[in-house]
Amino acid sequence: MSSEGGKRKKKGVPPNAAAQPVRVRTVKEIAAIANVSVATVSRALQRPEIVSEETRRRIHEVVKRLGYTPNALARNLRTARTRLIVALVPDISNPFFSEVIRGIEQVAYETGYSVLLGETQSDLVREQAYADMVAARQADGIVTMFHRIPNIPFEGRLPVVNACEYVKDSAISSVYIDNVAAATNAVNYLVTLGHREIAFIAGPASSPICVDREQGYHLALERAGLTFNPALTAVGDFSIEAGERAIELFLSQGHPFSAVFCSNDEMAIGAMRALISRGLRVPEDVSIVGFDDIRFSRYTSPSLTTVAQPKNALGREAMTMLIELLNDPEVPPRKRVLSAELVVRGSTGPR
C-alpha cells in the first residue's frame, strides 16, 4: 500500500516549518463582531451579572468562536491595584459637593474601592500632590470636581474622570448638566412671571459652567426682547457673603430690579438675607432664583426656587465611568449630559 497520501504536505509549506501561532484576538475585535461597545465586552467578561442575558450570550458565542483568551499579563497588571480612588473637590464647605461625593462613595463601596477625599482650595500645588499619588501607583485614579486636569505622568489613557464641571479635552470623560439650557429656563420662568429688570449674580469667570450660566441668562433676556443692563450683573465666589455684597451693590447703584438669578444657592441665600435686612420682601418685592438645589434651599424662609442638579447621579456616573476606564483602558471617552429641572418654591412670584 502506498504511503504517498500519508506523506502529502500542504502546498507551499516546508516539511520542517514550525507551527504558526494563532493570532491574538483583542477586546476591540470581539466588540466589533458582537456589535457592542468595548466597555460592554469588558463588563460581560468581568461582571456578567450586570449585562443582559441576550448580550452576554452573543458576546460569549463570539469569544468561543474566535478562541479569545484575555492576556494574562495585562489582566494581572490591571488587577494589581490599590483599590483607592482620589476625589478632588475645590471647596469641601460647599454643600453642593457633599451629595456628589456621596454618589461617588456609593459606587466605590459597591465595587470594592475606597475613596480618599482631597480638598484643593483651587490650589495648583495641592492638586498636583494628589495627582502624584496616581503617578506613584498609590491610587488608581481620580475624579475631579473642577475644570482643570492635573498633570499626571502616565502611560496611556489618564485614569481621570471629570464631574460637575467639564473639560474641553476630548480624551477626558466628563459628566455634567447643560448649564446654558438650565440657566435659560430659570430666567425664562422669571420672565413668564412678568419680571423685566432681572439682575444676575455670576460665579467665577474661570469656571466653564459659570460662563455657561451667564450665557443662559443673556440668551433668555435676548429671547424675551429685554435689554441687558451691565449694572445689574455682579460676580461672586459662590459664598453667602458674595450674594449679600452683590445685593448691596445693586441697591447702591439705584437701578431698579424685581428679580435676581444667582449662579448657585449659597449666593441666592445671601441675596435673600440682604434684601430682607433692607426691609424688602421676598418674593413680593424681589423674586430670587438659585442654582444647585442644595439641602438648605428648601428650609430658607421663604423656601428657595432653584435649578436642581442631579448631584448624587453626577457622582455615581463619574465613579462608574472611572471604573470602566480602569477595567478597560480602551473604553472610549464620553461626555455625558444629565438632566436638570427647575424647582419652584416660595422665593418667586409675579412682578
Side-chain angles (χ1 to χ4, degrees), residues 11-27:
K11 185 177 180 180
V13 179
N16 296 323
Q20 296 299 305
V22 177
R23 184 170 68 85
V24 176
R25 301 286 182 171
T26 67
V27 173

Side-chain angles (χ1 to χ4, degrees), residues 45-109:
L45 297 178
Q46 298 183 49
R47 297 185 62 201
E49 71 278 2
I50 65 174
V51 180
S52 71
E53 182 178 353
E54 179 184 350
T55 301
R56 188 169 65 243
R57 179 179 53 78
R58 186 165 76 250
I59 291 172
H60 280 285
E61 285 178 354
V62 175
V63 167
K64 184 178 179 180
R65 174 156 49 90
L66 297 184
Y68 169 76
T69 302
N71 183 284
L73 177 60
R75 183 174 61 244
N76 289 340
L77 288 173
R78 285 197 302 270
T79 55
R81 299 176 186 165
T82 64
R83 312 298 294 185
L84 177 67
I85 295 299
V86 179
L88 294 184
V89 58
D91 181 6
I92 200 172
S93 67
N94 187 331
F96 166 78
F97 292 113
S98 63
E99 283 298 314
V100 180
I101 293 167
R102 176 172 291 178
I104 292 171
E105 203 283 332
Q106 286 170 347
V107 173
Y109 178 79

Side-chain angles (χ1 to χ4, degrees), residues 153-204:
F154 197 86
E155 185 177 347
R157 282 274 303 282
L158 288 181
V160 176
V161 171
N162 182 250
C164 312
E165 287 269 4
Y166 61 88
V167 293
K168 294 182 179 179
D169 189 341
S170 60
I172 301 296
S173 291
S174 299
V175 54
Y176 49 92
I177 67 165
D178 186 338
N179 286 275
V180 175
T184 302
N185 290 339
V187 179
N188 279 343
Y189 173 68
L190 291 171
V191 172
T192 63
L193 292 175
H195 297 283
R196 295 296 178 265
E197 301 85 15
I198 303 172
F200 176 55
I201 305 178

Side-chain angles (χ1 to χ4, degrees), residues 314-335:
L314 287 167
R316 291 187 64 89
E317 181 64 16
M319 187 64 193
T320 299
M321 292 165 75
L322 180 57
I323 291 174
E324 289 180 354
L325 174 57
L326 293 173
N327 287 339
D328 184 0
E330 294 184 355
V331 65
R334 291 183 290 160
K335 304 292 186 185

Side-chain angles (χ1 to χ4, degrees), residues 201 234-252 257 260 262 264-278 288:
I201 305 178
V235 178
D237 60 4
F238 286 144
S239 67
I240 291 176
E241 293 78 11
E244 292 177 318
R245 289 193 297 268
I247 292 300
E248 294 297 335
L249 174 64
F250 296 152
L251 294 175
S252 68
F257 60 95
V260 184
C262 306
N264 80 328
D265 284 348
E266 286 197 67
M267 293 195 294
I269 292 171
M272 191 184 305
R273 282 171 50 89
L275 288 167
I276 292 173
S277 69
R278 286 293 199 99
I288 301 285

